[in-house]
Amino acid sequence: MATTPDEPTTMSVRENGRTVLREFRLPDIHGGTMAPIAIASLACLAGLLTVLDARTGDRRLVLAGFRPLPLLMPRLTVIALGALLATAAGLAVTATVFDARQWSWYIAANTLIALTYALIGVLLGPLFGRVGGVLIAFLLPFIDLGIEQSPMLHTTPPTWAHALPGHGASRVLTDAALTPGFDETPALLIALGWIAGLVLAVALLFHTTVRLPLRPVCRQVPRETRPLDDDEDARATRSSARACSTRP
């Protein structure tokens, strides 16, 4: 915060149902507008690592007869708890340097952002793996929330940024951080719609990935070199089959 230029900036906010331009000092708003970037990145990592670490176990449980949906619900609970933990940690630090005008809505907006990006992290894991997913988990929130949605860089977000997952929640956050009344109901509905759509996408991907076939891996079982009769040969064949195990 000490390096933030002590300069004014103009932002577009909604007050009493109207979009107006207001002037704010950069040091007064910097912390509040940067916090969601860190929260989104941490939540995205939580979602990504949770699904990757549990993937092998989930496949084995499905192979054992468990249905995917009962397995998905505990995973979503863990992911949601990770998102809430990231939100709490980020807001605890932010509260030392920033005072939101509407703390309840500011907390809610950061929670929406965390849940959105935690679900995105779940989708990134199976698609990009651990290393690629971690890189994207840091890159995507920065591009979305740190550049395109940032009220410090744009008076209003560019048109194409409306299609990004953080648009609705970031508008709620800006309204809660800078204005005394809540006027972003449409943006709130957009944020909730993103979460609902991502939950469906996660359910579909989870159902697909846990049902992937397991590759058989057999270890070699030494066999006697002497000639075997029919009974001994059958027993050796069954022993070799039992030595086969499966892995994803």
Side-chain angles (χ1 to χ4, degrees):
M1 297 301 298
T3 61
T4 304
D6 190 3
E7 300 174 353
T9 185
T10 301
M11 297 184 181
S12 173
V13 296
R14 289 187 64 82
E15 291 185 1
N16 300 319
R18 296 183 301 110
T19 301
V20 296
L21 296 179
R22 291 286 184 265
E23 191 174 272
F24 302 92
R25 292 178 60 252
L26 287 177
D28 293 339
I29 63 173
H30 191 186
T33 57
M34 294 294 103
I37 305 173
I39 291 172
S41 295
L42 291 175
C44 196
L45 284 176
L48 183 146
L49 297 177
T50 297
V51 71
L52 288 181
D53 290 342
R55 181 169 56 178
T56 300
D58 288 338
R59 287 182 180 176
R60 293 188 183 279
L61 288 172
V62 169
L63 188 64
F66 285 82
R67 299 182 63 183
L69 182 59
L71 295 176
L72 176 62
M73 298 309 296
R75 302 292 176 244
L76 291 179
T77 301
V78 171
I79 292 164
L81 291 175
L84 292 176
L85 181 61
T87 303
L91 291 177
V93 175
T94 303
T96 64
V97 295
F98 177 74
D99 186 18
R101 298 294 300 275
Q102 305 175 71
W103 270 107
S104 58
W105 280 111
Y106 185 76
I107 293 172
N110 279 285
T111 303
L112 289 173
I113 289 172
L115 292 174
T116 299
Y117 271 94
L119 292 169
I120 290 174
V122 175
L123 298 177
L124 293 178
L127 295 177
F128 296 97
R130 190 176 298 269
V131 176
V134 168
L135 293 175
I136 298 175
F138 283 105
L139 180 63
L140 186 56
F142 182 75
I143 293 175
D144 182 7
L145 304 170
I147 297 179
E148 298 306 327
Q149 312 293 349
S150 175
M152 298 180 64
L153 300 180
H154 307 281
T155 302
T156 57
T159 302
W160 78 275
H162 293 194
L164 294 177
H167 175 70
S170 68
R171 297 307 300 171
V172 174
L173 183 139
T174 300
D175 184 74
L178 305 177
T179 68
F182 182 70
D183 296 278
E184 289 289 358
T185 301
L188 176 62
L189 295 177
I190 291 173
L192 293 174
W194 265 100
I195 291 177
L198 287 169
V199 168
L200 292 177
V202 165
L204 179 60
L205 182 64
F206 183 84
H207 187 275
T208 302
T209 54
V210 297
R211 288 188 176 278
L212 290 177
L214 301 176
R215 298 195 302 269
V217 179
C218 298
R219 62 179 183 271
Q220 293 294 327
V221 177
R223 301 184 61 176
E224 298 180 84
T225 56
R226 66 179 179 81
L228 302 177
D229 58 31
D230 291 342
D231 290 340
E232 289 178 321
D233 186 66
R235 287 196 297 271
T237 300
R238 288 194 297 270
S239 175
S240 176
R242 286 193 298 269
C244 291
S245 60
T246 57
R247 70 182 181 189

